[in-house]
Amino acid sequence: MTAAAGRRAALYLRVSTAGQDPENQRLALRSFAAARGWAAIEFVDHGQSGAKERRPALDELMKAVRARQIDVVTVVKLDRLARSVHHLVGLVREFEVLGVDLVVLDQQIDTTTPSGKLLFHVLASVAEFERDLIRDRVLAGLKRAKAQGVRLGRPRAVVDVLRARAMLAEGKSLRQVAKALHVALATLARAVPRAVKARA
C-alpha cells in the first residue's frame, strides 16, 4: 500500500497517569496526518500503563483495524503502543496480516515505504530469538535442578493409607475413597495396591 492521500489513519495516544497531558503527542500526530492528507481518527488512553496489553482505547483501535476501518496506525513512539517485544510483535503481525501500515514518528519507522516494511521481518526475528533464549534458560534451569537432586514436576499427593484401607474394608468403592481423600484414582491405586488387587 502506498502513502496515498485519503487513507484512514488511527492516531494512537497514551499517557501513563491521569494527570499527564497527551497534547504534544496529539499535535505531532495531527500535523503528520494532515501533511499526508490522511483522514485522522484519534484513540486516546489516559492513565494507562504501556505494560498492560488490554487498554480501552487500544482495544477500540484494534477493533477498528479488524473491521477494516483503518489503513494506517500512527504513534509518536513505539513505547506508546507497547512496552514488551511480545506485545509489539503481536500487534505488528496483526497489522501486516490485515494490510495495515504502522508509522512511528520519533523512531522514523514507516511501513508505507519498502524499507519500513523490513520492520515486520526484523521484529519477527527478534521475537523468535527471545523465545529461543527463554526456552534455553528454562532447559538449563531444569538440568541444573535435576543435577542438584531437586524433584521436578508436581509434588506427589500424600494418601492416608490406613484410612483408605479402612474405607475399602467397609465396602466403599475405589472411586468413593479417592473422592473422600481428595486424591486421583490412579494415586490411590498406587498407594494401596494390595487392597486394590484384593477388590479386583
Side-chain angles (χ1 to χ4, degrees):
M1 297 175 75
T2 62
R7 298 185 73 191
R8 300 161 299 178
L11 311 184
Y12 181 70
L13 302 78
R14 180 184 66 78
V15 287
S16 300
T17 65
Q20 290 178 314
D21 189 352
E23 193 58 28
N24 287 340
Q25 295 177 52
R26 181 178 283 112
L27 290 173
L29 293 173
R30 281 182 178 176
S31 175
F32 185 87
R36 292 201 171 189
W38 292 346
I41 310 165
E42 293 183 10
F43 298 84
V44 187
D45 270 319
H46 291 277
Q48 297 290 325
S49 167
K52 291 166 62 177
E53 295 192 7
R54 300 298 303 271
R55 297 168 234 147
L58 181 60
D59 289 348
E60 284 301 310
L61 184 154
M62 294 309 297
K63 192 173 172 184
V65 164
R66 290 163 190 147
R68 311 282 179 158
Q69 297 170 351
I70 300 296
D71 299 311
V72 55
V73 173
T74 312
V75 293
V76 172
K77 293 182 179 179
L78 275 176
D79 67 3
R80 299 299 89 195
L81 198 59
R83 285 269 187 188
S84 73
V85 173
H86 172 77
H87 187 206
L88 181 61
V89 168
L91 292 173
V92 169
R93 276 182 177 167
E94 192 160 1
F95 293 160
E96 183 181 24
V97 168
L98 295 172
V100 173
D101 284 308
L102 174 66
V103 174
V104 186
L105 303 189
D106 284 10
Q107 274 111 358
Q108 297 182 338
I109 294 168
D110 185 350
T111 67
T112 65
T113 66
S115 60
K117 287 188 183 296
L118 282 172
L119 170 73
F120 290 137
H121 305 292
V122 169
L123 284 176
S125 298
V126 169
E128 186 176 354
F129 177 65
E130 186 179 49
R131 283 195 301 271
D132 288 344
L133 283 178
I134 291 171
R135 188 186 66 239
D136 290 346
R137 283 198 296 267
V138 169
L139 291 175
L142 291 173
K143 187 175 180 181
R144 185 169 58 252
K146 193 173 181 181
Q148 292 171 350
V150 176
R151 186 180 182 84
L152 302 175
R154 294 172 60 184
R156 183 166 291 181
V158 177
V159 179
D160 187 338
V161 177
L162 292 178
R163 187 180 170 198
R165 289 182 182 278
M167 292 175 75
L168 288 168
E170 291 170 4
K172 293 188 182 296
S173 69
L174 284 173
R175 194 172 299 279
Q176 288 174 322
V177 174
K179 187 175 181 180
L181 298 180
H182 305 291
V183 295
L185 198 57
T187 301
L188 177 64
R190 281 196 303 270
V192 285
R194 291 180 184 175
V196 171
K197 286 179 181 178
R199 293 183 64 81

